[in-house]
Amino acid sequence: MAASMKCAWARCLSTILLNSTKHRCQISQPLYASCSNITGDSGNDEIIFRKAEGEGGTDQTRQEAGPADDTKKHRRDPGKAFTDVRVQKILLRLTGLDLDKVYEYRAAKGAGVAKVALMSDQQLKKVYESASYKALRKLQMPPVLGAREPIDEVLSEDPELEGLNTSKLVFIDISQRVPLKKRTIVVREPNGTLRKASWEERDVTLQKYFPQSGRKIGLPRMFQQDNLECMLDDGKHEYILNRACSQFEIDDPEYIRVTQRTYEHIDGNGKFEDLRSTRHFGPMIFYFTYYKKIDKLLVAFLEEESLEDSLDLVKLYHIVHPSCKSAEKVASMPDATPLEIIRAFAEMDATQKSLVQQAIQTYEKECDSTGSTQLRR
Amino acid sequence: MTAVRLGNVYRLLRTWGSCKGLTIIYPQSSSLFLPCDQSHSCTAFPRVTPVRHGSQFFKRLSGVEVWSGQTGVSNSGKKKGRRPTRKLENLNYGQRPGDGKANIGWPGLNVPLHDYAAKIGPLAESHKLPPKQRGAQQRDTRKKRRFKPRLSPMERGWTSKSFGGRSVGPPDPVSDYVFEGFDTKILEVNVVSHMTNSLGRKRGFRAFVVTGNKQGLAGYGIGQSGTINNAVRKAKNIAGQHLMYFERYKDHTVYHNFHTKHHKTAVYVRRAPQGYGLKCHRIIQEICKMIGIKDIYAKIEGRTKNKITITTSFFRGLQKMETYQELADRLKLHVVEFRKERQYFPEVVASPAKARQTVGPDELLDFETMYMDGRVRYTRRSVTPFYAKFDAYHRKKRVHFINRNQPAAQLARLVEEQLGA
């Protein structure tokens, strides 16, 4: 009875949050404002999830979230597409809320005996509610952004200072109540140039003066290419992504490299379910969608016989790439069934067409035998 | 020729010699009468050789007479019921007169008499005693002496000599039931006695044991007998007839804290997480081992020396213990666990058939204290050490604060260096 109550609450909560665009949830503010890349913009009612504004780039340098161009992949900013409210809703829905997975058993230092409480049905409901809200906080997705633009700003040229120092001097503003992103960090070169610190220098200096727990100065060995491969072969995807989140800034090229390599490895092995109901599932789906690699993912969803997930994925693709062929076709047929939409995508935009069509056929056969092609909720 | 009565002479000389501390060496002749020839020197006469004064002291009394000093009891002592301190030992056990390092055969002593005509020479091989016995003082192994076999550390009890803590195996099988997986531990062996009309004080042993199969079944028993082994055996079998079953939380600890008092012994028990161990009196430790409890804290208050009341108290508490399901059914409430390892997620461990919707405002449902009868654990407030009042201590603290993470940081740097190389 308690187990079913738990599931019911999780579903109930998800539908409340996701079905209403106007619903201003209390959780939205703390969930996304804490991300250092995203600063306040409380004006817009429709978009709950705020735009990213970093110190390193301005709006002009950021490109539109358009079709993925392979040659300049690393320079584009997917952030704009990621923070679209429709995209967020789909990603959250796909991630799901498995309370048992979110609250997995993890070794804890100094854990004594469990605290035991005696609760009535009402008290239990309340407690599940708060646990579910807490779980949603845990499922806050680290945004997917483009790599930060390198800082290259010289403040002053002082050739008369040349030879004064043999090493460069780094200056940091340590006054209180300044966000880390906005702290001024400058470097005086031995040749006398005063310039703004580069991103790498900023990271090192900030970690020295304002250390964040779980972060190391310099690249941890784990993220070196060979070691990363070993870890991935061991199947430690979630651990790698969690550590990358704590070690790097989200727009750090290293973070992008590590996460993208992890997603590719998962794609290669088909182990998408490992990340289900974690905060990394959404970013992973978005990565595949943005770079047009959703075929294996779609096949996996169809093999699971979850039609709603498959439909969500295709819809997501159409939102992120609105100018693609299948999007236009689907727009022209407003009464299309889920399978028809998926089939349209498979015919027009799938890179591994045969694989996807095969999966659709298998799904249809299975459904025919069970007698249901309707969406199951 | 005057026949000299040598016998008289010998007697005289012996008396005179003993007074003077002299040894008389008698001639090797069986006859005491020898013709005395005036023309010859008196070779037949005994030679008198001076020896060290005082050796007669050791030979004045026979061995048995000397032993009577230790083995005998005076008349008044007998009345009072005194017993001898030692038993008579034959110190010459295993020896033969005539045996010695030189290994010479003496007819009549270590060689048969009829061979005496032969030369007094080295012992023939056939007559030699086996090397082990030659010369060495052998213990009389026929003596009754208890040789306790040396116990290995695993077999020993709480101490090398005590019976407490020693394992004595499962109880004896009863018809077709074999106590599989059972082990018994002795908790106490006492010497008891009572007065009888014929024998007077009659001594016996009382053994107190606990038996269990480490899977929740356990029982304790007391047995008395004239010998320790019999007493232990009796106690073991009685314990085997009085088994109780106890539920354990996740097979390692009790379900909740409890308190019991039996006679003057109170036991406070607290449940413990895995890896905590048995932090309690050794008696309770043995009992927990027999039941299969691996982690517990128990404190005994009151009479801590009466092992039987301690055991009874503890068993009583365990019998009254409630499992989560029983608690849920009694109160009609869900039993929910919050663990740090699960980020304090509410985990329902037991639910009643139909739970209540609400809880009354005055209901006391604090799990930690609900079985304690209103008793609350006393935690001593932390005591500042005596050196905290000195300035030198605080100065030193300030100096050391600079290096507060250096041991770990130095190790990390060393590791980086090694990995880099």
Side-chain angles (χ1 to χ4, degrees):
Chain A
M1 191 254 166
S4 64
M5 196 193 289
K6 196 164 54 170
C7 294
W9 265 106
R11 256 185 276 127
C12 188
L13 207 61
S14 314
T15 34
I16 289 168
L17 288 168
L18 301 168
N19 285 346
S20 142
T21 46
K22 295 282 170 68
H23 178 74
R24 253 211 183 273
C25 214
Q26 267 94 38
I27 58 160
S28 63
Q29 225 153 349
L31 265 184
Y32 292 95
S34 59
C35 179
S36 58
N37 260 338
I38 298 168
T39 52
D41 182 12
S42 50
N44 208 330
D45 236 359
E46 254 195 17
I47 299 173
I48 298 171
F49 310 106
R50 298 173 181 86
K51 288 187 208 173
E53 268 183 53
E55 200 191 66
T58 55
D59 280 327
Q60 281 122 33
T61 55
R62 206 181 298 138
Q63 294 175 28
E64 289 294 314
D69 186 356
D70 287 335
T71 51
K72 286 196 177 173
K73 225 195 286 188
H74 64 287
R75 282 272 172 210
R76 203 168 317 98
D77 175 33
K80 206 163 180 185
F82 186 81
T83 49
D84 189 339
V85 67
R86 298 167 296 164
V87 169
Q88 284 294 309
K89 271 167 69 176
I90 292 174
L91 291 178
L92 205 56
R93 199 156 55 217
L94 282 171
T95 307
L97 184 66
D98 180 4
L99 288 173
D100 280 329
K101 183 156 183 201
V102 174
Y103 291 103
E104 243 176 353
Y105 192 98
R106 271 170 214 158
K109 259 190 191 175
V113 283
K115 199 171 167 205
V116 178
L118 290 153
M119 291 181 169
S120 62
D121 274 343
Q122 276 186 1
Q123 288 172 321
L124 193 60
K125 275 181 194 164
K126 267 193 188 167
V127 148
Y128 271 140
E129 202 184 301
S130 60
S132 305
Y133 272 111
K134 218 169 117 180
L136 282 178
R137 288 180 65 93
K138 285 176 183 288
L139 293 179
Q140 177 189 2
M141 290 183 262
V144 180
L145 305 174
R148 56 198 175 188
E149 300 293 336
I151 303 170
D152 196 13
E153 193 181 323
V154 173
L155 296 171
S156 94
E157 297 267 9
D158 300 303
E160 57 268 20
L161 294 174
E162 185 163 349
L164 197 71
N165 290 303
T166 49
S167 60
K168 59 185 181 185
L169 299 174
V170 181
F171 298 89
I172 177 171
D173 170 24
I174 56 165
S175 41
Q176 288 178 352
R177 294 173 180 273
V178 177
L180 290 176
K181 269 285 184 183
K182 292 200 162 136
R183 280 194 187 276
T184 315
I185 305 177
V186 297
V187 175
R188 176 76 77 181
E189 296 273 1
N191 67 3
T193 324
L194 183 69
R195 59 169 174 84
K196 275 193 177 172
S198 68
W199 283 116
E200 293 78 29
E201 286 163 345
R202 283 190 67 84
D203 285 338
V204 167
T205 319
L206 283 168
Q207 183 57 17
K208 213 51 186 168
Y209 283 87
F210 302 98
Q212 292 189 50
S213 68
R215 221 175 252 214
K216 272 179 91 175
I217 291 174
L219 186 74
R221 277 182 209 279
M222 190 178 116
F223 296 120
Q224 288 170 2
Q225 203 53 43
D226 306 327
N227 296 333
L228 187 65
E229 293 303 317
C230 286
M231 296 277 298
L232 288 167
D233 292 333
D234 283 341
K236 298 194 169 139
H237 305 112
E238 201 187 333
Y239 176 73
I240 293 168
L241 291 167
N242 279 330
R243 192 164 178 204
C245 234
S246 74
Q247 176 66 35
F248 305 112
E249 289 297 311
I250 307 154
D251 51 5
D252 192 340
E254 286 296 314
Y255 175 79
I256 291 165
R257 172 184 68 86
V258 168
T259 50
Q260 289 189 355
R261 178 71 201 104
T262 311
Y263 300 148
E264 291 293 340
H265 192 267
I266 290 169
D267 190 50
N269 293 10
K271 289 199 174 160
F272 304 105
E273 291 305 308
D274 280 359
L275 295 187
R276 187 76 87 144
S277 211
T278 64
R279 59 185 177 145
H280 303 290
F281 196 70
M284 180 181 73
I285 305 284
F286 183 79
Y287 164 79
F288 288 129
T289 314
Y290 193 77
Y291 293 107
K292 297 187 176 176
K293 293 177 183 175
I294 63 164
D295 305 297
K296 274 197 177 167
L297 194 54
L298 191 59
V299 165
F301 286 161
L302 286 168
E303 276 173 9
E304 269 170 49
E305 295 180 25
S306 52
L307 189 66
E308 53 265 33
D309 283 353
S310 315
L311 181 65
D312 273 333
L313 188 60
V314 174
K315 274 188 179 170
L316 182 70
Y317 189 93
H318 292 160
I319 296 165
V320 174
H321 307 287
S323 52
C324 71
K325 291 175 210 154
S326 55
E328 283 165 6
K329 188 178 178 191
V330 164
S332 70
M333 39 184 217
D335 296 325
T337 60
L339 262 180
E340 282 174 14
I341 296 169
I342 298 168
R343 217 177 274 126
F345 166 82
E347 279 167 19
M348 293 173 177
D349 286 311
T351 46
Q352 296 177 52
K353 205 169 167 177
S354 51
L355 197 72
V356 184
Q357 282 173 337
Q358 180 80 34
I360 295 169
Q361 276 177 18
T362 322
Y363 175 79
E364 277 177 322
K365 274 186 208 153
E366 294 288 321
C367 273
D368 282 343
S369 59
T370 57
S372 150
T373 46
Q374 298 299 315
L375 275 173
R376 286 176 303 217
R377 279 249 175 243
Chain B
M1 228 174 5
T2 323
V4 180
R5 273 187 148 246
L6 284 174
N8 293 334
V9 175
Y10 288 155
R11 230 178 289 126
L12 275 167
L13 277 170
R14 208 188 303 140
T15 329
W16 174 71
S18 66
C19 295
K20 294 281 181 185
L22 298 172
T23 310
I24 317 289
I25 298 172
Y26 298 102
Q28 293 252 335
S29 175
S30 49
S31 165
L32 293 171
F33 288 91
L34 276 173
C36 177
D37 196 348
Q38 294 282 347
S39 57
H40 298 291
S41 55
C42 287
T43 52
F45 267 87
R47 287 198 308 280
V48 174
T49 313
V51 293
R52 191 186 161 80
H53 181 71
S55 67
Q56 277 300 316
F57 175 77
F58 294 104
K59 295 176 192 166
R60 197 187 311 147
L61 301 172
S62 71
V64 176
E65 289 170 314
V66 173
W67 271 107
S68 68
Q70 284 293 302
T71 58
V73 181
S74 65
N75 283 332
S76 64
K78 278 185 194 139
K79 277 188 208 164
K80 292 179 191 174
R82 304 281 180 261
R83 295 191 312 177
T85 46
R86 285 188 77 158
K87 284 189 184 168
L88 193 145
E89 276 179 54
N90 180 10
L91 296 170
N92 298 321
Y93 182 76
Q95 293 173 337
R96 278 190 312 206
D99 276 340
K101 253 198 263 182
N103 235 3
I104 296 167
W106 304 101
L109 296 177
N110 57 357
V111 159
L113 196 58
H114 66 269
D115 280 341
Y116 93 101
K119 266 197 196 163
I120 291 165
L123 263 180
E125 279 303 314
S126 53
H127 291 307
K128 272 195 198 163
L129 281 174
K132 177 170 85 166
Q133 287 179 353
R134 196 168 3 132
Q137 280 229 331
Q138 292 299 302
R139 274 173 182 264
D140 187 352
T141 52
R142 300 169 305 172
K143 259 179 66 169
K144 268 192 281 181
R145 216 200 219 176
R146 271 184 307 163
F147 286 108
K148 285 190 194 173
R150 240 186 126 162
L151 294 173
S152 78
M154 298 312 290
E155 293 167 334
R156 269 183 236 141
W158 299 323
T159 63
S160 63
K161 202 181 164 191
S162 83
F163 284 93
R166 275 205 218 161
S167 170
V168 283
D172 300 331
V174 173
S175 57
D176 57 345
Y177 184 74
V178 178
F179 288 89
E180 219 176 285
F182 274 78
D183 188 20
T184 319
K185 287 277 177 87
I186 302 175
L187 297 179
E188 195 183 36
V189 167
N190 271 344
V191 180
V192 295
S193 70
H194 64 96
M195 297 302 282
T196 53
N197 52 8
S198 52
L199 297 161
R201 178 156 281 120
K202 198 174 177 194
R203 215 175 77 141
F205 295 96
R206 180 184 74 191
F208 179 47
V209 309
V210 66
T211 190
N213 72 346
K214 296 171 191 125
Q215 306 289 334
L217 272 176
Y220 61 92
I222 306 172
Q224 288 196 32
S225 184
T227 58
I228 295 176
N229 283 338
N230 284 338
V232 166
R233 190 178 43 80
K234 277 187 187 175
K236 196 169 64 169
N237 294 328
I238 288 168
Q241 294 297 312
H242 293 85
L243 296 175
M244 296 169 263
Y245 181 70
F246 304 110
E247 295 271 4
R248 295 163 294 156
Y249 172 71
K250 289 198 177 165
D251 290 347
H252 76 93
T253 192
V254 289
Y255 273 94
H256 57 76
N257 306 344
F258 62 81
H259 156 268
T260 29
K261 188 173 177 195
H262 179 246
H263 291 324
K264 286 290 183 192
T265 314
V267 177
Y268 293 81
V269 171
R270 287 205 305 270
R271 66 196 170 116
Q274 274 187 321
Y276 187 81
L278 298 169
K279 291 193 185 160
C280 46
H281 195 287
R282 62 191 183 187
I283 297 283
I284 299 183
Q285 274 188 34
E286 298 300 336
I287 298 166
C288 287
K289 283 179 195 166
M290 293 299 101
I291 297 170
I293 292 171
K294 295 165 195 107
D295 309 288
I296 205 169
Y297 173 84
K299 175 95 180 90
I300 303 172
E301 284 185 14
R303 186 146 312 268
T304 58
K305 285 182 182 165
N306 193 329
K307 298 184 172 83
I308 297 171
T309 56
I310 294 171
T311 312
T312 323
S313 202
F314 186 63
F315 270 97
R316 261 200 190 174
L318 285 175
Q319 279 175 321
K320 284 197 220 159
M321 191 174 63
E322 231 177 3
T323 62
Y324 283 157
Q325 192 56 54
E326 287 166 6
L327 177 63
D329 292 333
R330 178 168 69 90
L331 292 177
K332 295 199 175 40
L333 293 171
H334 299 281
V335 178
V336 189
E337 262 191 3
F338 295 86
R339 286 187 170 278
K340 189 178 178 183
E341 297 101 307
R342 284 197 74 181
Q343 299 100 63
Y344 301 108
F345 176 70
E347 196 180 338
V348 177
V349 282
S351 281
K354 192 169 181 212
R356 278 192 271 165
Q357 290 300 310
T358 50
V359 170
D362 294 331
E363 254 190 278
L364 294 164
L365 294 170
D366 180 16
F367 189 74
E368 294 297 311
T369 55
M370 61 195 278
Y371 295 101
M372 300 297 280
D373 258 341
R375 289 175 175 81
V376 166
R377 183 181 165 188
Y378 171 65
T379 43
R380 231 184 125 200
R381 60 185 164 85
S382 57
V383 178
T384 46
F386 69 92
Y387 47 78
K389 60 179 178 256
F390 297 122
D391 276 341
Y393 171 67
H394 294 284
R395 267 183 267 132
K396 195 166 187 179
K397 266 179 92 173
R398 253 177 266 133
V399 165
H400 284 297
F401 183 72
I402 294 164
N403 285 340
R404 61 194 179 279
N405 192 38
Q406 280 315 298
Q410 276 173 10
L411 187 64
R413 270 179 248 133
L414 206 68
V415 167
E416 278 298 315
E417 222 179 274
Q418 292 298 316
L419 285 175

